[in-house]
Amino acid sequence: MPDLPSSHILFGGDYNPEQWPETVWKEDMLLMREAGVNLVSIGIFSWAKLQSAPGVFHFEWMDRLMDLLAENGIWADLATATASPPAWLTCRHPEMLPTLQNGTRLSIGSRQHYNPSSRAYREACAELVRALALRYKDHPALAMWHINNEYACHVPADYGDETAAAFREWLRDRHGSLEKLNESWGTAFWSQHYHEWEEVLPPRATPTFANPGQCLDFQRFCSDALLECCLIEARILREITPSKPITTNFMEWFKPLDYRKWAQCLDFTCLDIYPQPTGPVQTPVKSFDMTRSWSDGKPWVIMEQVTTHVNWRQRNPTKPPGLMRLWSYQAIAHGADGICYFQWRQARAGAEKFHGSMVGHGEPSSQRCYQETKALGNELKGLGRIAGTTFHAEAAIFFDQENWWALEQGSKPNNDLTYVRGVENFHNALHALSIGTDFVFEDSDLSKYKLLFVPCLYMAKPGVAEKIGAFVEAGGTAVITYFSGIVDGNDHIHLGGYPAPFRSLLGLSVEEWAVPQDDLPFKVSVTRQPGLAASYNASFWAEVIRSEGAETMATFSEGYYAGLPAVTRHAFGKGCAWYLGTEFEQAFYDDLLKVLARDTGLTPPLAVPAGVEVTRRTGAGKEFLFLLNQRNEAQSIDLNGLSGTEILTGRQIACSLELAPWGVAIIETAVGSESIE
Ligand code: GLA
């Protein structure tokens, strides 16, 4: 697989020069060079400008743009331009417009107005992509391909007739026969049996709960249908430019697409990320860890973030000075090799003219956005040797996109249950302690981890419980939480007592669930475990748990199940498996992690004060220790004997280091430096 350009941290953004006279392009080049920009994503929304009818292309402006980029030493992340079909195409093929669940057909006039299963759309994309690839295959500016844009961000599913036919084909492939489909969807329920394939439809608007198997398969199909669109383009690009890396921009915690599966089809992963910048400052690190993990730790790129503010929330507060820099370094500290933005020059027309950018509407020399961009871009120029190094992680959180779909489908004991909350409980605790964390999936190698967290794994597909069991048996510590191991991959109950696939690993069974009507906290008392408090608040969920060999670590203090286990631990092989039968306040996860980190010998790369994060990237005989002050106040770090070069300032450091508010330091040492361990 082709890799990213090495020896550089990529820096740049979406560039839409077709919205500007060409005299502005010249100024753009000067400003880009001044700001250290080395990569721009071009052509993302240019289809209408590149093609005016079948076979009629207008590449001259793109030729001039590509030449200008090459002359200025700026790489092109050339988009395939298929994200917003032109009006001439949809007028010729109105059937390619998307149909909503209630039958409404969407219109032209914004973007992403296509049905992924539309033959006309797919054929038109293929024609355009082939023409683009042939035109620019040897152009010196071409560095990589950016397929489409944020697939599914506005239209995650289509429910029309062309989709119904494609869904049936997909189901034939998956199930083989109608008989098997009926079995998998449990159609004996509510008289849903299908006698002919033509009767099978997408889950359109229904009087009450649609069939869960049908809904789940439709989510799988929708992700696959868009992936097929992406692959139609990727195959053409790989045929014509086999040495150019291919990507498409992913979004954070985006439910419709199974990005783990998608990432296997791309050369590198990239992320568009827009956290709310005010209030309790959200940290984007969970998304950074996920993006890196989709491609098993390979370097990745922030393809879009914003310098200041977006325009698509009800209110759009701006990032205060320094926060964009901190988050950019935090991405690099978590394995990113590129920092890009939406967008280079702020639009003067259209729906995004109030969206922040690298260059604003006024005079660049007096714009905070441009000055912060320029400062960061010039700093990153000196950090090329970090590119290609690997983030260090010894803990992992198990994640399964299909579990996310199945868990939140409705008709559950507690329908406020969200998968991401379960993930956050553990990720917050791990991040607070600076314990490097990967996300792992059903096909990941678990052998390098000491600790594995498994939140709400409602759907345990074949082999998954065995995989987690093998991890524990070999000496790992796993923490599994409530409502796990309940159904198989078809969303059918695992019979044999909850949580059937995990019972022997956990040494317990769950007799029933006791879901509270409200969100009032209830107490859980810790019965044994130095390092934990005497009691914690819990809420949201409770279970009636019977030990079958597990030690009880904490019990419910209230309800008819008072005195029964709420937290258990069970020795299994050389390791042990914990079970949490309720949803705790964050303090419990923080304290439990301290206990587990001590027991498993997991330590952060350096002891740091609260609010400072420390991460490590290694490779090619070098170690880079990132220190990130997540507070808007200065912090002092005791380096505990560590010495090396702080590469942002070039200073030799020893003993201690001052981090400015939201400040960053990167210490380079030789691999194996004792003080880093
Ligand atoms: C997304 C899109 C961009 C732009 C930004 C605005 O990330 O990919 O084209 O619309 O949102 O935040």
Side-chain angles (χ1 to χ4, degrees), residues 348-516:
R348 60 182 172 165
E352 291 184 325
K353 56 186 172 296
F354 294 110
H355 193 289
S357 59
M358 300 162 83
V359 176
H361 288 146
E363 168 54 39
S365 61
S366 59
Q367 292 163 4
R368 176 167 73 88
C369 62
Y370 180 67
Q371 295 311 317
E372 287 190 30
T373 297
K374 189 169 102 177
L376 181 63
N378 281 293
E379 271 184 349
L380 296 182
K381 273 187 194 167
L383 303 189
R385 59 195 186 282
I386 294 176
T389 58
T390 308
F391 177 82
H392 188 76
E394 288 181 297
I397 298 175
F398 192 90
F399 191 84
D400 183 334
Q401 191 78 17
E402 296 192 350
N403 177 59
W404 192 3
W405 295 336
L407 181 71
E408 295 179 7
Q409 243 187 33
S411 69
K412 299 289 191 308
N414 185 340
N415 290 302
D416 293 324
L417 216 166
T418 65
Y419 193 27
V420 175
R421 172 162 67 178
V423 169
E424 270 170 353
N425 294 333
F426 293 119
H427 197 277
N428 290 344
L430 288 154
H431 176 234
L433 273 196
S434 286
I435 294 192
T437 304
D438 284 340
F439 286 92
V440 290
F441 310 91
E442 58 183 316
D443 58 345
S444 300
D445 174 10
L446 304 184
S447 60
K448 75 175 210 198
Y449 305 104
K450 293 178 176 164
L451 257 178
L452 176 66
F453 297 94
V454 186
C456 297
L457 191 62
Y458 161 75
M459 175 175 276
K461 286 183 281 187
V464 167
E466 291 77 2
K467 184 174 187 119
I468 296 169
F471 165 80
V472 176
E473 204 164 15
T477 297
V479 182
I480 300 177
T481 76
Y482 62 91
F483 208 42
S484 285
I486 306 303
V487 297
D488 64 16
N490 291 327
D491 201 28
H492 292 199
I493 300 290
H494 281 297
L495 298 176
Y498 311 129
F502 290 121
R503 269 178 72 181
S504 61
L505 170 64
L506 295 170
L508 55 75
S509 66
V510 172
E511 216 169 82
E512 59 186 24
W513 302 297
V515 171

